[in-house]
Amino acid sequence: MALSVVVTFAVVVLLEIVVPLALGYWIVRRFGAPWRVFLLGALFFIAVQVVHTPLVLVTQAPLYLALLPSGTTTALAGLAVYLGLMAGLFEEVGRYIVYRYYFRRRGIPLTRENGLQFGAGWGGVESIFVAFLVLSGMVSYIVLTGDAGVIPLPDDPAVQAQVEALRALTPLDILPGLAERMMTITLHIAWSLMVLAAVVYNRKALLALAVLWHAAVDAAAVYLAQTQGILVTEAVIFVFAVFGLAYIFMEWRRMGAKAAS
């Protein structure tokens, strides 16, 4: 067991929880968007996943098996596109419904500040959930690679291979996950503003664009992670995140100009 790996695990867990909360706090202080909107973003992300996640778990294996006769590459690509579209449809249509019906009925203004905070809550709670998964990974690493032999392991080659893979971990294997969370939060804010714009300007094309953009990011992540490795995957997500950040600034100025007119 390497102490540097344990420390990296702990730092990643801490930052994946603290950064989204700090972002929400900054938005409250800087723009006056209430914590309530951050919590609504978190709540509706969970609500969408209650339906989305079980549906994906039930359907992805049969779809992959159905596509497998066409070749593993085709099957993986088809599965990646399917998973991406499912994520895009559920999450972006979910955002649209919340803005158009829930926000209006509750008298929550459809402002750029609230769109920013809603996206921070949506992406932030996802980051917090991932942090708990990383925490479970840290516990597994400590238990299975510790010198004290916390639990007896079966003399099974598959189990031994998993333990050796854990022992081979370095901090550089863990840090990309933290970078991905930060980039994903950026994208969730961009998508939240784009869907908000679809409601405010009554332009369904922006909703469709948000769905396709989200689908492209998730599909690329699934496919590239299996074929090109983590570094290439994170590089592609970084490019998407840069476009997301550029869109945030563009839409922020446009909504500000509209509000001032």
Side-chain angles (χ1 to χ4, degrees), residues 146-250:
D147 298 330
V150 178
I151 59 172
L153 297 174
D155 188 17
D156 184 321
V159 174
Q160 295 301 322
Q162 291 177 356
V163 173
E164 289 305 315
L166 285 174
R167 287 187 178 135
L169 282 176
T170 70
L172 292 178
D173 295 315
I174 303 163
L175 288 173
L178 173 62
E180 181 178 326
R181 283 304 99 208
M182 302 306 104
M183 293 185 289
T184 302
I185 290 172
T186 301
L187 285 166
H188 276 300
I189 292 173
W191 296 329
S192 293
L193 285 174
M194 183 172 283
V195 175
L196 177 63
V199 177
V200 170
Y201 305 138
N202 194 27
R203 293 179 59 188
K204 296 283 192 353
L206 288 173
L207 172 60
L209 180 58
V211 170
L212 293 175
W213 186 2
H214 194 149
V217 173
D218 280 31
V222 171
Y223 183 80
L224 293 174
Q226 296 296 319
T227 59
Q228 302 299 322
I230 190 67
L231 292 181
V232 172
T233 303
E234 299 304 333
V236 170
I237 294 175
F238 175 76
V239 173
F240 278 118
V242 169
F243 281 109
L245 190 61
Y247 177 78
I248 290 169
F249 283 112
M250 183 193 75

Side-chain angles (χ1 to χ4, degrees), residues 103-172:
F103 270 43
R104 284 179 170 171
R105 288 180 181 176
R106 296 290 180 173
I108 301 172
L110 296 174
T111 62
R112 60 182 184 171
E113 292 82 7
N114 282 339
L116 190 72
Q117 186 72 301
F118 188 73
W122 192 290
V125 76
E126 183 182 44
S127 179
I128 292 170
F129 283 148
V130 171
F132 284 109
L133 294 177
V134 176
L135 179 61
S136 69
M138 182 179 75
V139 172
S140 297
Y141 177 80
I142 293 171
V143 170
L144 295 176
T145 66
D147 298 330
V150 178
I151 59 172
L153 297 174
D155 188 17
D156 184 321
V159 174
Q160 295 301 322
Q162 291 177 356
V163 173
E164 289 305 315
L166 285 174
R167 287 187 178 135
L169 282 176
T170 70
L172 292 178

